[in-house]
Amino acid sequence: MLAQYCYLIRTTVIALLLLFTPIMSSADTRQRLEPEPSLESLSQSTQTAPLPLGTLLDSEGKPITVPNQVQSSFEYAAPTLTPTEPPKATKSTKDTQSTKATKSKKLTRKQQLASREHVANDPNCRWLDKRMDQLEAQLGGKQDNAAAHQADELSARQKEWQCLKCGAEGPAQNDHSKCQYRR
């Protein structure tokens, strides 16, 4: 009995498949009946008029005009800026007056080592100069207990500055370990 039902279902499925197969195959045959383009028809141009010079076609076949003046990125000229204010000096006028006076007379070796007018070409000296500028700005004339640690660090950095010879030629190779500020 079960075998008969399986046979019946199987034949029904096969019959349905046979019914729908001609529909699918007829679509395929319609495509096959359309003539394939030949080499002669492909080589013939569908346009009747030639394009004028300087035009291109977009994806729909419409002409696009190309602008005549195209600026290259190599021809870029940056706008000129006129300064409205004179640049501000980083050091105060008091410092500049004292440096003018010191320029006129030759500094001693000890004064040259302590001076921060010239910074040696050394990364440690450049950092030390910036750090001392920071500490001086933070102190800014304050003399209270809150700024005591900054004043202590500033005096230690000034000693390190002199030891590393940052005001003159810069540190020797063994000066780094000898002069390093230790807390």
Side-chain angles (χ1 to χ4, degrees), residues 156-157 160 163-164 175-183:
R157 297 292 182 193
E160 184 180 1
C163 182
L164 287 174
D175 287 342
H176 292 288
S177 61
K178 179 177 66 173
C179 302
Q180 186 177 16
Y181 169 64
R182 289 179 176 81
R183 293 182 247 177

Side-chain angles (χ1 to χ4, degrees), residues 107 110-119 161-162 166-168:
L107 295 176
K110 190 171 185 178
Q111 289 173 336
Q112 189 179 13
L113 290 175
S115 170
R116 289 185 42 214
E117 180 183 333
H118 171 74
V119 180
W161 178 270
Q162 289 177 348
C166 288

